[in-house]
Amino acid sequence: MKLIGIEEHFLTAEIRDAWHAIGLDASDPSVAFHSGTLERRLLDLAEQRLALMDESGVDVQVLSLTTPALHDLGPQAVDLARRVNDAVAEAVARHPDRFQALATLPVAMPDEAALELQRCITALGFKGTMLCGRVGTRNLDHPDLLPVLRSAACLNAPILLHPRVPEMAVRTAYYSGFSPQVDAAFATYGLGWHYDAGVQFLRLVLAGTFDRMPGLQVILGHWGELVLFYAERLAALDRVAGLAHPIATYLRRNLYVTASGMFLPHYLERALATVGADRLLFSTDFPYQYRTGRDARRFLENCGLGEAAKAGFAHGNWMRLISDQIRA
């Protein structure tokens, strides 16, 4: 059964250097995570990556730039995004049966980002884009960022909404007071990343984004970034939100959920009950969650879904999601 991982990350030396040039390594602890073995695996878009895919049983990776992407870069990100996307397109062209791609966008420049997304989808054959939550001080529902969302909706390009570190005031209030190492982990992969991504999705819902753009599709990793586990409590917002539909409707109409390498059957069961079998996507969160022993393939084989639902989870739901995109 073909297995497509839709949240599989890369990095380029140019972007790494751009992060360091603006001092992002001092303000965003996740930048420091990209070193050693992780950095080598992120930078490689050739044979070593393919070998690890084979070992884990993944047939296709959908490549996306790792967090914090270009969200903290200003006008310089416009040309940088084009160079990165062109380089990734070349990697996909070298291995068209193994790689697909999500667009890297200069989101601090929303009009330019919308145009770059159009180029990536229509000319380069990319499958969507990845956004990392806030852009500076602006949440994703900020009116300034509407051009990016409108472009994605018009192109039928799904948005993978990826975690990023919460802003400093939030980290100081909630994730500090321990050692620097614990503070950084607590604010990122321990918990903070995931709350931040889930909140960004819910802000899009509460802002009426999906009422105005009912076709817009968002993907949340890590089995829904905590949102699915509080669906019952979120339903209480229906009384005051003034939306066209109950929040449960947006969870089943505008949200896809992926595993991000958290291969836990009870999380899969919760996602299945909340969004439905046709909105489950597979991913390994390469290289962060990479484990030896054909871990990804083994989870698929033993996940407990029936054959039709399993095929959808493995590849069919993703192929259907991207099937009606606009091409040149």
Side-chain angles (χ1 to χ4, degrees):
M1 185 176 290
K2 187 174 185 178
L3 186 55
I4 301 177
I6 65 96
E7 185 189 346
E8 319 302 325
H9 300 301
F10 73 91
L11 180 63
T12 71
E14 186 178 17
I15 291 172
R16 178 198 60 200
D17 294 345
W19 288 345
H20 292 302
I22 64 170
L24 199 57
D25 47 335
S27 60
D28 186 336
S30 67
V31 172
F33 301 157
H34 305 131
S35 61
T37 299
L38 282 179
E39 183 180 53
R40 289 194 297 273
R41 290 175 176 174
L42 285 164
L43 292 172
D44 178 71
L45 291 176
E47 297 310 315
Q48 183 59 34
R49 180 180 291 254
L50 293 170
L52 294 179
M53 290 168 59
D54 291 341
E55 196 283 330
S56 62
V58 173
D59 298 297
V60 179
Q61 282 191 352
V62 184
L63 303 169
S64 56
L65 176 62
T66 193
T67 188
L70 305 185
H71 283 233
D72 295 287
L73 300 176
Q76 72 183 81
V78 176
D79 289 338
L80 179 55
R82 289 184 66 90
R83 291 195 295 274
V84 170
N85 290 324
D86 287 343
V88 172
E90 292 175 3
V92 173
R94 288 193 295 271
H95 304 283
D97 296 330
R98 306 304 305 272
F99 294 147
Q100 299 175 12
L102 300 180
T104 297
L105 300 181
V107 283
M109 313 293 289
D111 290 332
E112 290 83 352
L115 291 173
E116 179 62 6
L117 178 56
Q118 181 178 17
R119 184 181 80 95
C120 287
I121 299 296
T122 61
L124 300 184
F126 286 15
K127 308 306 181 184
T129 188
M130 190 187 88
L131 302 180
C132 295
R134 298 177 335 278
V135 180
T137 61
R138 296 171 290 183
N139 293 302
L140 285 182
D141 60 294
H142 194 285
D144 287 354
L145 301 176
L146 276 174
V148 180
L149 302 180
R150 289 186 182 125
S151 181
C154 290
L155 293 162
N156 296 316
I159 296 172
L160 173 60
L161 206 171
H162 192 273
R164 69 165 302 174
V165 67
E167 62 177 316
M168 183 63 74
V170 175
R171 286 152 53 194
T172 300
Y174 291 105
Y175 300 107
S176 67
F178 309 99
S179 70
Q181 293 83 0
V182 171
D183 289 356
F186 191 18
T188 55
Y189 56 81
L191 190 64
W193 266 349
H194 310 294
Y195 271 130
D196 194 78
V199 166
Q200 291 299 318
F201 172 74
L202 291 172
R203 289 189 64 94
L204 291 175
V205 173
L206 294 171
T209 304
F210 301 111
D211 288 339
R212 295 189 299 274
M213 292 175 271
L216 181 63
Q217 301 297 316
V218 170
I219 303 164
L220 284 177
H222 308 97
W223 297 115
E225 307 294 3
L226 303 170
V227 169
L228 302 191
F229 299 95
Y230 282 84
E232 287 84 358
R233 296 296 290 175
L234 293 171
L237 291 169
D238 293 341
R239 298 193 299 267
V240 296
L243 298 170
H245 304 283
I247 287 177
T249 298
Y250 306 104
L251 297 181
R252 297 185 74 89
R253 192 190 71 184
N254 300 98
L255 178 63
Y256 283 78
V257 176
T258 187
S260 304
M262 297 173 62
F263 297 144
L264 301 168
H266 54 295
Y267 281 19
L268 171 59
E269 292 168 8
R270 178 60 174 173
L272 177 64
T274 306
V275 302
D278 60 347
R279 288 182 168 269
L280 301 177
L281 303 173
F282 199 92
S283 64
T284 76
D285 199 8
F286 181 90
Y288 305 103
Q289 294 279 74
Y290 172 75
R291 295 176 292 265
T292 59
R294 292 182 66 79
D295 197 51
R297 178 67 61 170
R298 187 172 64 253
F299 176 70
L300 176 68
E301 292 170 348
N302 300 308
C303 68
L305 295 173
E307 286 304 304
K310 185 184 295 185
F313 181 37
H315 64 270
N317 295 340
W318 173 250
M319 296 306 295
R320 186 183 65 255
L321 174 60
I322 64 174
S323 64
D324 58 351
Q325 290 176 343
I326 298 171
R327 303 294 181 197

